[in-house]
Structure formats: C-alpha cells, structure tokens
C-alpha cells in the first residue's frame, strides 16, 4: 500500500502543485503508508533532470519527504508496452491514423453521451487496404483502446460517486510514446499505489483509467481530487500570475515555512498566519476540510504569516 505524488518535470512546481503534493503526503502519512514520488517524464522534449531536482528540493523544503527511489516513466516504456500487448491479446487495440485537426473537426459533431473532444471512432473499423493507404502516405498510427460506450463510475473521497462515459483513449502516440492514461494505470498498480491524490482537472480522465485497470486486471486505488489554485483572473495558475513558485516566493521574502503555512490554511488545516510543520498537520488531516472551490492566489497570499 502506498500514496504518491506524480509531477511532470517540465518546470518548477507552482503553489497549486505544492498544495496537491501536501495533500498527497498528508493522506499517505495519515494512513501510515509510504509516500512515493514518480516523475511523469514521458515527454522527453519538455522534461528535464534539472526540473526533477528543483521539484524534489521544493518538496523537501516543505518537509514533504518521500520514501523509496524516485521512479521515472521514461525508463519504464517496456512495462507500458507489455500492458498494450495484453490489451491487444484481447482484441482491444486498433490503429488510429487521424491527425489532431481531423479529430477536432470530427469530434465537434454530436455523438451521444461522450465527453466534449472525445475521439469519435473514425479509425475503429478501417479495412486492411484503408490502413495500408494511410501508412503509404507516411502516417504513423497511434494505438487506441476499443471501448464499447461504457459508462464507468468511481468514488472520490471528496466528491462522492462520479460516472463518466469512456472513449477510445490513446494507448501509444503516433511518435511511439506511451500515453499518460496507460502509463499512470500501469505504474500505480506496479508500485502498489492504493491512494491517488491529484488535481481535480484529472477527474474526467479517471473513468478511462478505471476501465483500463479492469481490462488489465489491476486493482483500483482510492481517489481524492484536489481543487486547483487559480490566478486572480480565475484561470489555472501559471507564470504570468506572478510569484507562484518557491523560487519566486523566496525572492519576494516568502520562505518555505510561510509557504507551508499558507497552503495549510487554504486546506482548512491551520488558522491564517499560523506557523506549522508538515508533521504537525498529519493528525489534523481530513479530506472534508478541503474547500470545494478552486482557491484564488490572492486568498492564499492573504493567509501568509
Ligand atoms: N503527471 C500529472 C500532472 O502533473 C499527474 C498525474 C496523476 O497524478 O495521475 O498533472
Ligand atoms: Zn483515427
């Protein structure tokens, strides 16, 4: 049994990422299970080892120490390929030759209960000669999961039961890189992760991941999705919102202790301005105190000591 934080090392962690990491760490510590960190560096163009180091240093500065070695997805492609092979054996994999633009225009047509932007199934039933034609034109196929319009439900510890229709999710991109939804499912299972804590922008992906778990014969962990931190314009936190990383904040005179205090207050775990250590928060941790709405940067900053 374990909990985990799974950042993409494509930049510095911002306050939203750090707040989610704090919840993931608290959830693991409160349950007395190991807390793992996994680097989701499937995209090797945007990922870097420097970002990994900075992210780990930021977590450590807040007192969010991890257990065991840090795993990198870029070193585990063979495991994802084994899972694809397992799905292929069940005739659940097909080649998709669509470009992004083709999917966008096809997906804008109404197609029943599927979520917006869902893959409309264009390549599901291509004949051999149609496939050969596309291949001859130099297109490299992505691999997709053959679904059957399933609606899959899961229970979130904060949000309760959530059901979503599942589309033919990508398993491997056209450039050969395994897809996020597959990698996350394989890794959580192989690492013994029993609690998934992450940002709530991934709620719509969770039914897909639960379906993949079932098809691969893997267990389903518990889920706790944490609301995002947004800028004062209501948009998900980004560099342009100002001092949003530990480095920016330190330069502005706000050190790790103040950052932890702000994050704890925003989660209902400390009074605004109260000095706390991460370890002190473990016994206060309760997913029910996490405010349901996205937190605005200005509100976070208001509780700075
Ligand atoms: N790597 C993803 C992210 O940084 C998180 C994936 C997950 O926690 O399942 O948004
Ligand atoms: Zn297609």
């Amino acid at each position: 049994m374990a909990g985990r934080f799974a950042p993409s090392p494509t930049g510095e962690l911002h306050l939203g990422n750090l707040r989610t990491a704090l919840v993931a760490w608290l959830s693991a510590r409160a349950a007395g299970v190991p807390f793992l960190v996994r680097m989701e560096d499937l995209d090797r163009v945007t990922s870097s080892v420097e970002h990994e180091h900075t992210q780990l240093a930021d977590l450590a500065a807040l007192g969010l120490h991890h257990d065991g070695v840090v795993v990198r997805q870029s070193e585990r492609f063979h495991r994802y390929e084994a899972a694809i092979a397992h799905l292929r054996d069940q005739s659940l994999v097909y080649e998709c030759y669509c470009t992004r633009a083709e999917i966008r225009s096809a997906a804008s047509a109404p197609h029943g209960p599927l979520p917006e932007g869902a893959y409309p199934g264009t390549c599901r039933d291509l004949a051999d000669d149609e496939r050969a034609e596309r291949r001859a034109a130099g297109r490299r196929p992505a691999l997709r999961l053959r679904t059957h319009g399933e609606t899959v439900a899961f229970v979130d510890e904060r949000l309760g039961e959530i059901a979503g229709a599942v589309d033919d999710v990508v398993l491997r991109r056209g450039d050969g890189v395994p897809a996020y939804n597959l990698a996350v499912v394989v890794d959580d299972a192989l690492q013994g992760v029993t609690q998934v804590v992450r940002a709530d922008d991934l709620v719509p992906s969770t039914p897909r991941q639960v379906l993949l778990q079932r098809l691969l014969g893997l267990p389903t962990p518990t889920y706790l999705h944490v609301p995002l931190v947004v800028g004062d314009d209501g948009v998900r936190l980004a560099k342009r919102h100002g001092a949003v990383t530990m480095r920016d904040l330190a330069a502005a005179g706000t050190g790790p202790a103040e950052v932890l205090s702000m994050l704890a207050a925003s989660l209902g775990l400390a009074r605004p301005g109260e000095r706390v250590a991460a370890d002190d928060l473990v016994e206060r941790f309760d997913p029910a105190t996490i405010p349901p709405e996205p937190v605005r940067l200005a509100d976070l900053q208001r509780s700075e000591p």
Side-chain angles (χ1 to χ4, degrees), residues 23-35 63-67 195 279 282:
V23 178
W25 182 86
L26 286 171
S27 177
R29 288 285 174 263
V33 300
F35 173 67
L64 310 182
H65 301 285
H66 63 268
D67 302 298
Q195 38 172 269
D279 286 324
V282 176

Short mmCIF file of all heavy atoms in Angstrom, two decimals, residues 23-35 63-67 195 279 282:
data_model
loop_
_atom_site.label_atom_id
_atom_site.label_comp_id
_atom_site.label_asym_id
_atom_site.label_seq_id
_atom_site.Cartn_x
_atom_site.Cartn_y
_atom_site.Cartn_z
N VAL A 23 -1.35 17.57 0.20
CA VAL A 23 -2.49 16.69 0.48
C VAL A 23 -2.10 15.22 0.26
O VAL A 23 -2.44 14.35 1.06
CB VAL A 23 -3.72 17.07 -0.38
CG1 VAL A 23 -4.87 16.10 -0.11
CG2 VAL A 23 -4.16 18.50 -0.09
N ALA A 24 -1.35 14.95 -0.81
CA ALA A 24 -0.94 13.56 -1.10
C ALA A 24 -0.06 13.03 0.02
O ALA A 24 -0.22 11.90 0.48
CB ALA A 24 -0.21 13.50 -2.44
N TRP A 25 0.87 13.87 0.46
CA TRP A 25 1.79 13.46 1.53
C TRP A 25 1.01 13.21 2.84
O TRP A 25 1.19 12.20 3.51
CB TRP A 25 2.85 14.55 1.72
CG TRP A 25 3.89 14.25 2.74
CD1 TRP A 25 5.05 13.56 2.56
CD2 TRP A 25 3.87 14.67 4.12
NE1 TRP A 25 5.76 13.51 3.74
CE2 TRP A 25 5.06 14.17 4.72
CE3 TRP A 25 2.97 15.39 4.90
CZ2 TRP A 25 5.36 14.38 6.06
CZ3 TRP A 25 3.27 15.60 6.25
CH2 TRP A 25 4.46 15.09 6.81
N LEU A 26 0.10 14.15 3.16
CA LEU A 26 -0.68 14.02 4.40
C LEU A 26 -1.56 12.77 4.36
O LEU A 26 -1.69 12.05 5.35
CB LEU A 26 -1.57 15.25 4.59
CG LEU A 26 -0.86 16.52 5.02
CD1 LEU A 26 -1.81 17.71 4.95
CD2 LEU A 26 -0.30 16.37 6.44
N SER A 27 -2.14 12.52 3.19
CA SER A 27 -3.01 11.36 3.05
C SER A 27 -2.24 10.07 3.30
O SER A 27 -2.72 9.16 3.99
CB SER A 27 -3.64 11.39 1.65
OG SER A 27 -4.43 10.26 1.45
N ALA A 28 -1.02 10.00 2.75
CA ALA A 28 -0.19 8.80 2.94
C ALA A 28 0.25 8.69 4.40
O ALA A 28 0.11 7.63 5.03
CB ALA A 28 1.03 8.84 2.01
N ARG A 29 0.74 9.79 4.95
CA ARG A 29 1.23 9.75 6.33
C ARG A 29 0.09 9.43 7.31
O ARG A 29 0.28 8.67 8.25
CB ARG A 29 1.87 11.09 6.71
CG ARG A 29 3.21 11.35 6.05
CD ARG A 29 4.33 10.51 6.67
NE ARG A 29 5.59 10.66 5.96
CZ ARG A 29 6.04 9.83 5.03
NH1 ARG A 29 5.34 8.76 4.68
NH2 ARG A 29 7.19 10.03 4.42
N ALA A 30 -1.08 10.02 7.06
CA ALA A 30 -2.22 9.77 7.96
C ALA A 30 -2.62 8.29 7.92
O ALA A 30 -3.07 7.73 8.92
CB ALA A 30 -3.40 10.66 7.57
N ALA A 31 -2.43 7.66 6.75
CA ALA A 31 -2.78 6.24 6.63
C ALA A 31 -1.62 5.34 7.04
O ALA A 31 -1.75 4.11 7.06
CB ALA A 31 -3.20 5.94 5.19
N GLY A 32 -0.46 5.96 7.31
CA GLY A 32 0.72 5.17 7.70
C GLY A 32 1.29 4.34 6.56
O GLY A 32 1.84 3.26 6.79
N VAL A 33 1.14 4.82 5.33
CA VAL A 33 1.70 4.08 4.19
C VAL A 33 2.80 4.92 3.54
O VAL A 33 2.85 6.14 3.72
CB VAL A 33 0.60 3.72 3.14
CG1 VAL A 33 -0.48 2.86 3.79
CG2 VAL A 33 -0.01 4.96 2.49
N PRO A 34 3.71 4.28 2.79
CA PRO A 34 4.80 5.03 2.14
C PRO A 34 4.26 6.09 1.18
O PRO A 34 3.19 5.93 0.60
CB PRO A 34 5.57 3.95 1.37
CG PRO A 34 5.22 2.67 2.04
CD PRO A 34 3.83 2.83 2.55
N PHE A 35 5.04 7.15 1.03
CA PHE A 35 4.72 8.23 0.10
C PHE A 35 5.76 8.19 -1.02
O PHE A 35 6.95 8.39 -0.78
CB PHE A 35 4.76 9.57 0.82
CG PHE A 35 4.60 10.77 -0.08
CD1 PHE A 35 3.40 11.02 -0.73
CD2 PHE A 35 5.66 11.65 -0.28
CE1 PHE A 35 3.25 12.13 -1.56
CE2 PHE A 35 5.52 12.77 -1.11
CZ PHE A 35 4.31 13.00 -1.75
N GLY A 63 9.14 19.93 3.91
CA GLY A 63 9.05 18.79 4.85
C GLY A 63 8.30 17.60 4.29
O GLY A 63 7.92 16.69 5.02
N LEU A 64 8.08 17.61 2.97
CA LEU A 64 7.32 16.51 2.34
C LEU A 64 8.31 15.47 1.80
O LEU A 64 8.58 15.41 0.60
CB LEU A 64 6.43 17.05 1.22
CG LEU A 64 5.55 18.25 1.59
CD1 LEU A 64 4.67 18.67 0.42
CD2 LEU A 64 4.70 17.93 2.82
N HIS A 65 8.88 14.70 2.69
CA HIS A 65 9.90 13.72 2.29
C HIS A 65 9.24 12.49 1.71
O HIS A 65 8.18 12.08 2.17
CB HIS A 65 10.78 13.39 3.48
CG HIS A 65 11.47 14.62 4.02
ND1 HIS A 65 12.53 15.21 3.38
CD2 HIS A 65 11.19 15.38 5.10
CE1 HIS A 65 12.88 16.30 4.05
NE2 HIS A 65 12.09 16.42 5.10
N HIS A 66 9.89 11.92 0.70
CA HIS A 66 9.30 10.72 0.08
C HIS A 66 10.05 9.48 0.51
O HIS A 66 11.16 9.55 1.03
CB HIS A 66 9.31 10.86 -1.45
CG HIS A 66 10.67 10.93 -2.03
ND1 HIS A 66 11.32 12.12 -2.25
CD2 HIS A 66 11.54 9.97 -2.39
CE1 HIS A 66 12.52 11.88 -2.74
NE2 HIS A 66 12.69 10.58 -2.83
N ASP A 67 9.43 8.35 0.28
CA ASP A 67 10.03 7.06 0.60
C ASP A 67 10.49 6.39 -0.70
O ASP A 67 9.88 6.59 -1.74
CB ASP A 67 8.99 6.17 1.30
CG ASP A 67 8.47 6.82 2.57
OD1 ASP A 67 9.27 7.06 3.48
OD2 ASP A 67 7.25 7.12 2.64
N GLN A 195 -3.64 4.77 -2.95
CA GLN A 195 -4.37 6.03 -2.86
C GLN A 195 -3.80 7.02 -3.87
O GLN A 195 -2.62 7.30 -3.87
CB GLN A 195 -4.38 6.61 -1.46
CG GLN A 195 -3.09 6.46 -0.66
CD GLN A 195 -3.16 7.25 0.63
OE1 GLN A 195 -2.78 8.41 0.68
NE2 GLN A 195 -3.64 6.62 1.69
N ASP A 279 4.72 17.80 9.71
CA ASP A 279 4.43 16.67 10.60
C ASP A 279 3.25 16.95 11.55
O ASP A 279 2.51 16.05 11.90
CB ASP A 279 5.68 16.30 11.43
CG ASP A 279 6.72 15.60 10.57
OD1 ASP A 279 6.32 14.82 9.69
OD2 ASP A 279 7.93 15.86 10.77
N VAL A 282 -0.37 16.14 10.17
CA VAL A 282 -0.83 14.78 9.85
C VAL A 282 -2.08 14.43 10.66
O VAL A 282 -3.06 13.93 10.10
CB VAL A 282 0.29 13.75 10.11
CG1 VAL A 282 -0.21 12.33 9.89
CG2 VAL A 282 1.49 14.03 9.20
#
